[in-house]
């Protein structure tokens, strides 16, 4: 431990002027942290330390272990461009396979070697031109650059429902699945009908005695065109790596130009998404009453579109009931709804989502002039091009606020963001700069343009509420086509930045 502190404090001279490597702290060893290490090293930045609060890499794929966990982005695209893999068992991978892939890539590329596991970063304080990092153990160290790779949805949101603590059965959040509890033959309740709930309900309903689905708002969903890859096909892909690369780009382009384009104004795509959702509902839910209850009153893709083929058959099965009456309170025996019914349960699963405004919080991040990040954001996190914030020099975010998240591979987005950060580091190196941060006026102009553009996206025009909305009353998302964002990441405009040194 002492060794790390000493190594991190060899001197106060700014790295680019002193002609040495920048000491870079990366917070989080999920997929964006892994991407950062591999790409930074390849670009020649080798003095890297990763801080990971848990005992393994993997981020969201380590935290989420619920039954049915899978990724609705095709496997051949949901992977690192520098570590394409031929051997995927399915077109859409299940959670354990993705977690194994993350661990393998982290091992193969030496990420685990430089990761300090079980080490939570609790404070980051900027004193020109360095960042002072404090861990949960009270250890302190100094870095030239900090990269936040914490992900977005990592703080479970527990519903504020009266009596929740009084439930006498087993109760847990979807992201804290209790594997010691056997659901077989039990009366199970699931609160929520988002992407997570849909996967859990699809997987668990056939095993349980009763499945009670507590739906506050219906969701649009399309079928997931899942398929098993044959060993023969995987062998062929392995033998001809060009097929891996072709598949990667094929899925990237398809998603960019279809579902993603549909959310930011492409009317043809919007109509196609709506049609696919309606057809899915009509095809897979025979009971007209049930279909009515499952039909949203807002436009498809307004909330994050769900890709799931198991949910409708599960909720239509004889042991399932869809409860649309609102929850009044939770009692020791189960869930009481406003119509007075008590839904008696053995197990209650809270598939109620996450705090979408967390990002690097609750780490206390203090920028220039003592500006506290949580205070600055005040529930409406903003960043310049989703990666940087004025008054927080040499601090970069992967998957930061207002990025193009949604039905896209976040791995690709992270990789492009790392390329952007590398351009900034190269600039600092070439010009001997001490610090780099967005100009407040560039940040304001960018965010004003986003606030205007977002009004015509389906996230607002679609007429729904979702976790995309923050305290500003607007969705915390990139309002233009995601390929524009990818271009921006590869063409940084340094005139938007304050370059000091
Ligand atoms: O969470 P959510 P999630 N009483 O916030 C309901 C990603 N993901 O974990 O719609 C009753 O979407 C809430 O109801 P309402 C993906 O980006 C990806 O499912 O607010 N109900 C909603 O139904 C996704 O968008 C994959 O009215 C309450 C649900 O809980 C994101 O994670 C797989 C309630 C929360 O849905 C989050 O998905 C899974 C209350 N008090 C997830 N509070 C992939 O395949 C909340 N709800 C890549």
């Amino acid at each position: 431990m002492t060794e790390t502190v000493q190594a991190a404090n060899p001197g106060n001279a700014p790295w680019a002027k002193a002609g040495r490597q920048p000491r870079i702290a990366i917070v989080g060893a999920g997929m964006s942290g892994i991407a950062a290490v591999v790409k930074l090293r390849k670009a020649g930045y080798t003095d890297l330390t990763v801080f990971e609060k848990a005992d393994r890499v993997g981020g969201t794929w380590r935290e989420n272990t619920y039954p049915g966990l899978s990724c609705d982005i095709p496997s051949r695209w949901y992977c690192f461009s520098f570590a394409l893999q031929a051997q995927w068992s399915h077109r859409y991978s299940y959670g354990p396979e993705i977690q194994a892939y993350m661990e393998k890539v982290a091992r193969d590329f030496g990420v685990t070697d430089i990761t300090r596991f079980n080490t939570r970063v609790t404070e980051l304080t900027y004193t020109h031109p360095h960042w002072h990092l404090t861990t949960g153990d009270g250890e302190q160290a100094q870095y030239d650059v900090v990269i936040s790779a914490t992900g977005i949805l990592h703080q479970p949101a527990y519903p504020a429902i009266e009596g929740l603590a009084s439930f006498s059965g087993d109760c847990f959040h979807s992201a804290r699945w209790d594997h010691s509890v056997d659901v077989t033959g039990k009366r199970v309740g699931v609160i929520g009908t988002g992407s997570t709930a849909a996967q859990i309900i699809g997987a668990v309903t056939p095993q349980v005695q009763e499945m009670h689905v507590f739906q506050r708002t219906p969701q649009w969903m399309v079928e997931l065109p899942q398929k098993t890859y044959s060993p023969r096909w995987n062998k062929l892909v392995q033998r001809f790596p060009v097929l891996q690369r072709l598949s990667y780009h094929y899925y990237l382009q398809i998603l960019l130009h279809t579902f993603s384009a549909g959310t930011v104004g492409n009317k043809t795509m919007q109509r196609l998404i709506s049609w696919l959702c309606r057809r899915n509902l009509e095809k897979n839910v025979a009971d007209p009453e049930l279909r009515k209850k499952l039909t949203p009153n807002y436009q498809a893709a307004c909330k994050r579109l769900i890709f799931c083929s198991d949910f409708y058959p599960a909720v239509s099965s004889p042991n399932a009931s869809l409860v649309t009456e609102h929850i009044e309170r939770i009692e020791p025996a189960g869930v009481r709804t406003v119509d007075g019914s008590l839904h008696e349960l053995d197990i209650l699963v809270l598939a109620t989502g996450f705090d979408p405004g967390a990002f690097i919080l609750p780490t206390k991040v203090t920028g220039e002039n003592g500006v506290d990040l949580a205070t600055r954001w005040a529930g409406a996190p903003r960043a310049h091009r989703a990666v940087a914030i004025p008054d927080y020099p040499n601090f970069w975010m992967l998957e930061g606020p207002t990025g193009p998240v949604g039905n896209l591979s976040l791995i690709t987005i992270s990789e492009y963001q790392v390329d952007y950060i590398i351009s900034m580091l190269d600039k600092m190196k070439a010009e001997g700069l001490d610090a780099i941060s967005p100009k407040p006026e560039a940040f304001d102009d960018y965010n004003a343009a986003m606030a205007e553009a977002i009004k015509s996206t389906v996230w607002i025009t679609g007429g729904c509420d979702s976790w995309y909305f923050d305290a500003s009353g607007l969705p915390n998302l990139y309002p233009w086509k995601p390929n524009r964002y990818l271009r921006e990441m590869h063409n940084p405009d340094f005139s938007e930045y304050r370059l000091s040194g």
Side-chain angles (χ1 to χ4, degrees), residues 70 72 153 159 192-196 216-217 303-304 351-354 467:
S70 70
D72 58 12
L153 303 175
T193 48
S195 307
T196 301
R216 186 165 68 179
T217 315
K303 283 175 182 281
R304 202 260 194 197
T352 43
F354 300 84
W467 66 261

Side-chain angles (χ1 to χ4, degrees), residues 214-230:
F214 296 93
Q215 172 187 277
R216 186 165 68 179
T217 315
Q219 297 260 4
W220 286 116
M221 45 187 93
V222 292
E223 283 180 283
L224 186 81
Q226 179 61 296
K227 79 172 207 179
T228 308
Y229 285 132
S230 70

Side-chain angles (χ1 to χ4, degrees), residues 111-183:
V111 179
T112 32
D113 303 341
I114 55 157
T115 300
R116 301 202 38 212
F117 291 103
N118 302 307
T119 308
R120 189 181 284 274
V121 175
T122 52
E123 276 184 50
L124 288 163
T125 306
Y126 185 74
T127 312
H128 185 81
H130 300 114
W131 280 96
H132 301 276
L133 180 151
T134 307
T135 68
D137 301 336
E139 185 190 344
Q140 298 196 331
Q142 182 175 292
Y143 288 88
D144 299 300
V145 175
V146 172
I147 298 178
S148 162
T150 59
I152 310 167
L153 303 175
H154 54 94
Q155 305 282 354
Y158 288 85
I161 302 175
E162 187 194 326
L164 183 59
S166 72
F167 182 62
S168 63
D170 294 297
C171 178
F172 42 85
H173 190 275
S174 56
R176 300 285 180 270
W177 193 272
D178 185 347
H179 290 277
S180 69
V181 176
D182 184 5
V183 297

Side-chain angles (χ1 to χ4, degrees), residues 215 218-220 281 285 289-296 311-312 315-316 322:
Q215 172 187 277
Q219 297 260 4
W220 286 116
L281 184 59
V285 180
E289 263 312 298
L290 183 61
R291 207 188 297 151
K292 204 167 142 199
K293 285 180 169 180
L294 288 166
T295 306
F311 177 77
Y312 287 153
V315 83
S316 306
L322 182 73

Side-chain angles (χ1 to χ4, degrees), residues 61 66 68-75 77-78 91-95 98 194-196 199 222-226 251 255 259 304-309 406-409:
W61 300 105
Y66 59 78
L69 172 70
S70 70
C71 183
D72 58 12
I73 302 296
S75 326
W77 178 31
Y78 195 83
R91 182 187 275 156
Y92 297 90
S93 301
Y94 289 95
I98 301 174
S195 307
T196 301
Q199 292 182 344
V222 292
E223 283 180 283
L224 186 81
Q226 179 61 296
Y251 286 116
L255 267 293
F259 287 98
R304 202 260 194 197
L305 197 63
I306 300 177
F307 286 73
C308 186
S309 300
N407 293 99
L408 270 184
S409 168

Side-chain angles (χ1 to χ4, degrees), residues 423-486:
S423 305
M424 296 292 163
L425 295 176
D426 288 349
K427 176 90 175 166
M428 291 183 80
K429 187 157 90 176
E431 300 187 10
L433 302 174
D434 296 352
I436 187 163
S437 64
K439 290 177 182 163
E441 57 274 23
F443 170 84
D444 289 343
D445 288 352
Y446 178 73
N447 279 287
M450 283 208 304
E452 192 51 38
I454 203 123
K455 289 179 192 159
S456 55
T457 64
V458 72
W459 306 307
I460 287 190
T461 61
C464 71
D465 190 12
S466 72
W467 66 261
Y468 293 153
F469 285 83
D470 63 27
S472 71
L474 295 174
N476 195 298
L477 290 170
Y478 185 77
W480 300 289
K481 288 189 179 150
N483 35 343
R484 171 172 161 172
Y485 184 78
L486 300 184

